Amino acid sequence: MLRRSWLKRALIVVSVIAAVAPPAALAALWLTLPDVNQLYRRTQTPSTRILDRYGRLLYEIFDPRSLSGGRHTPIPLDRIPLRLRQATIAVEDASFYDNPGVDFAGIARALWINLRGGEALAGGSTITQQLARMLLLDPGERSQRTLLRKLRESLLAWQIARRYSKDEVLALYLNQVYYGNLAYGVEAAARAYFGKSVSELDLAECALLAGLPQSPVAYDPFNDPAPAKRRQAIVLDLMVKNGMIGEEEALAAKQARLSYAPAPFDIRAPHFVTYVRQWLEREFGTDAVVRGGLVVTTTLDLALNDAAQDIVRAHLRRLANPADQPGLSHNANNAALVALDPRTGEILAMVGSPNYFDARISGAVNAAIALRQPGSAIKPITYATAFAKGELTAATPIYDVRTAFPTREGLPYVPVNYDRRHHGPISARQALATSNNTAAVSVLQRVGIAAMLDQANAMGIRSFKDPNDYGLALTLGGGEVRLLELAAAYGAFANQGQRVDPYAVLEVTTVSGTRLYRRPTHYATRNTVLDPRVAWLISDILADNAARAPAFGEASVLRLSRPAAVKTGTTTDFRDNWTVGYTPQIVAGVWVGNADGQPMQRISGVTGAGPIWHDFMEIAHRALPVRWFERPPGLVRVEVCALSGMLPSPDCIQTRHEWFLEGTQPAQPDTWHRRMRVDALTGRPASADTPRERIVERVMLDLPAPLREWARAQGWPILDSAANAGHHSSLITHHSSIINHPPIAILRPDPGTIYRAAKELPSSVQRAPLEVRVDAADVVSVDVALANGEVIARFDRAPYRTFWQLSAGRHALVARARLRDGRVIESAPVHITVLP
């Protein structure tokens, strides 16, 4: 009986607690809430100061919402464009004018997540909830992701909705929300991004601003315009969905060109400061940067950065009005430069454009970290991959002859050199130094795209993605990179194969001297991403003025007053050109082009970016001692036959010395030069029937099949004998770039070519080139036939070239050569398609 009485009293107590506790907890929570009447409070805080490495002030960040001023100007709602108000509501809170200020579904979701042991996510808050979080919660609580914070935020939002009208809430929100780049409120944002008042914004500009508050750093158009434009499109689509604008109006806004440039304010090295500020926001949060009173010591050398800015501006003026061609403009309006210390990764200079405040060139966009196609400036990584994998040496001959490379799409890819000529057999050293396109594609095909991307990623290029997204044109600049990343990758060559991670901040302290951050010591540890011998070999090639002279001349701007390795790049449409180079002390990269992607006129990497790089490097090294690239152990220098890359034979006409990774040096004497008794009249090997007086001794070239036609056209003394067809079999294993080609092949059309017949032209003029190569002696005739046996071309002597009239359908072409001894040799089939 006593036990039953005790249980009854206990149940009563539990019931009372269960009934009283929630209201009590709610009351306690309510009493601890901030006063919603304090929405307009302001605080006075010390500024954050960003300094260069020597303590020179670059920029001082004041709290924009403080009484001391800054980039924050509250304006009435009726002066904010309707489209900006609509865009904000569409993307942040579509039911804003109908809801009670609280997202009950979001609260339930947070409660459910909390009960399951997770954290209460912040997504899905109404505009009113966001306003409560921004203005009434302390910075520490604001960043928490807990159920308690969600409940407090929701209660505050409910109070605000009862205390203020919807228009007042919207006006407060638009005047207080953070848009990035230290801009709080729409007026500050309009001036920060477009250099004008918010009342002057059009729909495209309004939609872009409305998309920023969700993630101001991720969508910062100064950092990378592409994500900002994608976010703008989402905002416009939501406006269409909510009936605020029509689809045609949205499409026009998506296609509108945006010119980015903030209103002028006092700042030094603005692109670098923005880069640093974004890092600070990621590390410490926006509130800490704005209100924290930080002292930030950076890696920048302000004097060097100012010199870089002056050089960029001076050279762009010369390109706009060349002294040797008055009145001609190369249409090059923008440029960027970055400089690093390859031993540490410290950013010494960063110029993102010639004028941060020039809207005509979108000057505030930092081209030093924007994605651009690098042209041939990416080739050293391809060759480094090949050297590291043992696929070739600096002496290996690569065939620069017309070559069609297969692709995943089935269409042939035929690279074209900058000078639109082919140069026959050239060494890997010459190929890289002269920036030969055909050779670079051949090398990439050998090592594979995935291996090249792995090497690029290891060296710090993070912008390359899935290997399946790229083709062989990757080595010619077919993928986008950031100038800062590419300069860092070159830094690995200068740093003996150690990865260079760029960084901009040395130390962060409070105004009282408390250290909050110092560059961690583990960043200085050696992280080998490339064999030091390969890194040195690439540097040796890129510093070889004699090797690049055939393409750039002996006295080009690529030559400094001290040893320096350098590579240029130019995209095929002249939209971008680059020069990236280094010494053991400094690596610098330069990009020249236009922010909107307009092509330049008659300009290349050596004439566009090259002079900027040259002048900057000379100034940057004025106080530095001359240093050579330190050669690591494990390299040997060997005399080779210049043409074949093998050991010299008595008949090798020209030799040179080349560096090899120990163990990869040639062991076989040259077989390309052969001293023979030939018929002086015919130039062919003498036979038993050749009159003695016509027999002379000459050195003939016994070249691999792919080179013979090119060499013959150059007038080289070619040994043209089918009897020697197997002579080069031993080269296949020793020189991996040499391929054993069949004695007969169809050169044109390329395998996989797709032709499309034009109905507006008569069929008689719709023809395709047809060309056959035959490497055999005593050819009687050559036929080209379709798979059904129809002969479409017949030749009785070289050259075996003609035009074939197209006919619709899928065709397999086969060439057959009949020899004097009665044998018939046949080519591999070439499949093409002619679409009607």
Side-chain angles (χ1 to χ4, degrees), residues 443-710:
V443 173
L444 180 58
Q445 185 189 45
R446 292 198 60 77
V447 301
I449 292 173
M452 186 267 198
L453 291 178
D454 286 344
Q455 183 63 64
N457 183 69
M459 295 171 70
I461 296 181
R462 309 296 188 193
S463 49
F464 289 147
K465 304 302 180 185
D466 187 343
N468 294 319
D469 294 340
Y470 305 99
L472 293 174
L474 175 66
T475 191
L476 308 183
E480 293 182 323
V481 301
R482 306 180 198 278
L483 178 60
L484 180 60
E485 289 181 345
L486 190 58
Y490 273 62
F493 296 136
N495 195 29
Q496 299 179 319
Q498 311 304 311
R499 189 173 69 195
V500 176
D501 293 312
Y503 67 94
V505 176
L506 294 171
E507 187 177 70
V508 180
T509 66
T510 64
V511 289
S512 61
T514 303
R515 180 182 295 154
L516 303 178
Y517 170 88
R518 190 172 190 175
R519 180 68 175 171
T521 56
H522 72 263
Y523 282 111
T525 59
R526 297 174 69 83
N527 186 355
T528 302
V529 294
L530 187 65
D531 185 330
R533 300 173 300 169
V534 173
W536 182 89
L537 188 57
I538 292 291
S539 299
D540 188 62
I541 293 172
L542 296 182
D544 190 341
N545 193 62
R548 67 169 169 256
F552 299 100
E554 285 282 350
S556 74
V557 294
L558 305 182
R559 189 172 189 174
L560 300 184
S561 58
R562 64 178 64 214
V566 59
K567 184 73 187 71
T568 63
T570 304
T571 54
T572 54
D573 52 8
F574 297 99
R575 296 181 190 275
D576 308 275
N577 63 64
W578 307 64
T579 298
V580 187
Y582 54 93
T583 67
Q585 298 114 312
I586 295 177
V587 55
V590 177
W591 167 85
V592 172
N594 293 302
D596 60 2
Q598 286 187 32
M600 296 172 286
Q601 302 295 325
R602 295 183 293 279
I603 191 172
S604 67
V606 72
T607 57
I612 297 174
W613 177 83
H614 174 275
D615 292 353
F616 172 80
M617 290 292 277
E618 291 289 3
I619 287 178
H621 286 85
R622 281 184 303 188
L624 299 177
V626 175
R627 286 185 54 193
W628 296 78
F629 296 106
E630 183 178 344
R631 187 172 67 250
L635 288 157
V636 293
R637 194 165 187 253
V638 177
E639 186 180 18
V640 296
C641 184
L643 196 61
S644 67
M646 291 179 264
L647 294 175
S649 67
D651 297 323
C652 178
I653 299 172
Q654 185 179 6
T655 66
R656 65 183 182 86
H657 286 84
E658 185 55 87
W659 287 100
F660 296 86
L661 277 64
E662 195 167 10
T664 66
Q665 64 267 35
Q668 181 180 9
D670 171 65
T671 57
W672 287 22
H673 297 81
R674 299 183 63 194
R675 186 173 295 275
M676 299 191 66
R677 291 157 57 89
V678 300
D679 186 330
L681 181 64
T682 64
R684 294 187 174 184
S687 66
D689 298 329
T690 304
R692 182 173 296 179
E693 65 273 12
R694 284 176 23 202
I695 296 176
V696 295
E697 198 173 68
R698 289 180 182 170
V699 175
M700 305 290 287
L701 289 173
D702 192 6
L703 300 179
L707 294 171
R708 291 178 192 161
E709 183 176 353
W710 177 89

Side-chain angles (χ1 to χ4, degrees), residues 434-446:
T434 60
S435 199
N436 187 282
N437 287 346
T438 304
V441 174
S442 176
V443 173
L444 180 58
Q445 185 189 45
R446 292 198 60 77

Side-chain angles (χ1 to χ4, degrees), residues 32-39 41 135-136 156 159 164:
T32 61
L33 291 176
D35 185 357
V36 296
N37 293 311
Q38 299 299 313
L39 276 180
R41 67 182 178 179
L135 298 184
L136 296 177
L156 287 170
Q159 290 188 55
Y164 300 94

Side-chain angles (χ1 to χ4, degrees), residues 60-83:
E60 194 163 7
I61 302 172
F62 296 96
D63 184 350
R65 294 171 295 189
S66 70
L67 294 175
S68 60
R71 281 193 287 171
H72 178 245
T73 307
I75 58 173
L77 188 66
D78 58 9
R79 285 184 51 200
I80 300 173
L82 174 63
R83 292 308 193 208

